[in-house]
């Protein structure tokens, strides 16, 4: 029977256990390196005519300065400021520590021992100067804090809301049915007499020219007035 492989459990690189383990391991490496470098730098400090009772302070100044400038560089970078000078000092003190340890292990000649001893002793006041500058850059502000100007907020007139009249519901009133009167029978319209127009006046006959009546005109067909008289 084939089984589907489940998700493989892995450690997140940005988890808290990883960060804690890295910090602890870094501190252990730093302490071990300081312990190994301490003996070499203390012996090399004697080459610069440092009293034996104070020779242990030389490795403290050199190696501790490396840690101080490294932390200052990280803080300045996080603040957005220039951290080039801190990285430069950290690199310089690291090179001096490496060179002194190598010269002690190689067992160089007297002239080179004197040069290494002079460099270690001369770095002590330089370390004080640079450490003070680093402390000032972290603690002291760059300029006087500028108080923010008060923001003028325009006054807004507060308008009180007017009381709203509450309209009480009117109780429903039962309306009586209204009797609609029946329409009365339509009366027949009274005939209106047509207006009497006056009769047209009798037109007088137009008189023509009067002709004399002759006997011939009086004779009608079939009637001869002259024969009648005879």
């Amino acid at each position: 029977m084939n089984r589907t492989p489940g998700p493989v459990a892995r450690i997140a690189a940005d988890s808290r256990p990883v960060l804690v383990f890295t910090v602890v391991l870094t501190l252990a490496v730093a302490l071990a390196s300081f312990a190994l470098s301490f003996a070499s730098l203390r012996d090399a400090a004697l080459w610069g005519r440092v009293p034996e009772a104070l020779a242990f302070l030389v490795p403290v100044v050199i190696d501790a300065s490396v840690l101080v400038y490294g932390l200052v560089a990280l803080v300045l970078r996080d603040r957005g400021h220039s951290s080039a000078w801190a990285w430069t000092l950290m690199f310089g003190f690291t090179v001096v520590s490496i060179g002194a340890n190598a010269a002690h292990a190689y067992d160089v000649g007297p002239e080179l021992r004197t040069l290494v001893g002079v460099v270690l002793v001369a770095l002590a006041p330089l370390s004080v100067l640079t450490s003070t500058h680093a402390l000032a850059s972290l603690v002291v502000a760059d300029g006087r804090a500028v108080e923010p100007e008060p923001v003028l907020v325009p006054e807004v007139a507060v308008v009180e809301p007017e009381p709203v009249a509450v309209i009480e519901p009117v109780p429903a009133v039962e309306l009586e049915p209204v009797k609609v009167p029946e329409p009365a029978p339509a009366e027949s319209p009274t005939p209106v007499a047509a207006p009497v127009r006056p009769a047209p006046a009798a037109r007088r006959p137009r008189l023509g020219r009067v002709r004399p009546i002759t006997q011939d005109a009086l004779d009608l067909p079939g009637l001869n007035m002259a024969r009648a008289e005879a």
Side-chain angles (χ1 to χ4, degrees):
M1 181 178 181
N2 297 330
R3 294 183 179 181
T4 304
V8 180
R10 297 181 180 180
I11 299 175
D14 198 18
S15 61
R16 183 177 296 274
V18 174
L19 295 178
V20 172
F21 178 75
T22 304
V23 172
V24 173
L25 189 60
T26 302
L27 292 177
V29 172
L31 292 176
S33 300
F34 181 78
L36 294 174
S37 179
F38 182 84
S40 300
L41 293 178
R42 182 189 58 184
D43 294 343
L46 298 177
W47 300 343
R49 297 183 181 181
V50 177
E52 187 176 357
L54 301 178
F56 72 95
L57 296 177
V58 173
V60 175
V61 172
I62 302 301
D63 291 341
S65 297
V66 175
L67 298 177
V68 169
Y69 300 134
L71 295 176
V72 171
L74 294 178
V75 174
L76 292 178
R77 186 180 64 178
D78 184 69
R79 293 181 180 180
H81 298 166
S82 176
S83 58
W85 62 271
W87 291 112
T88 302
L89 290 174
M90 177 183 175
F91 180 76
F93 275 86
T94 302
V95 171
V96 171
S97 179
I98 293 173
N101 280 273
H104 180 268
Y106 189 71
D107 193 13
V108 295
E111 295 181 358
L112 191 55
R113 289 182 182 181
T114 303
L115 180 60
V116 173
V118 171
V119 172
L120 293 178
V121 174
L123 285 179
L126 180 61
S127 178
V128 175
L129 174 63
T130 53
S131 299
T132 305
H133 174 69
L135 181 62
S137 63
L138 296 183
V139 178
V140 181
D142 296 337
R144 184 177 179 182
V146 180
E147 297 181 357
E149 297 181 358
V151 180
L152 299 178
V153 180
E155 296 182 359
V156 180
V158 180
V159 180
E160 297 182 357
E162 298 180 358
V164 180
V166 180
I167 302 176
E168 297 182 357
V170 180
V173 179
E174 296 182 359
L175 300 177
E176 296 180 358
V178 180
K179 295 181 179 181
V180 180
E182 297 180 357
E187 297 179 357
S188 58
T190 304
V192 179
V196 178
R197 295 182 179 180
R203 188 175 183 180
R204 297 177 63 181
R206 185 177 181 181
L207 298 178
R209 186 176 179 181
V210 180
R211 293 179 179 179
I213 302 174
T214 59
Q215 185 66 35
D216 296 332
L218 295 175
D219 291 338
L220 296 174
L223 181 62
N224 191 351
M225 293 299 297
R227 290 178 180 179
E229 289 179 358

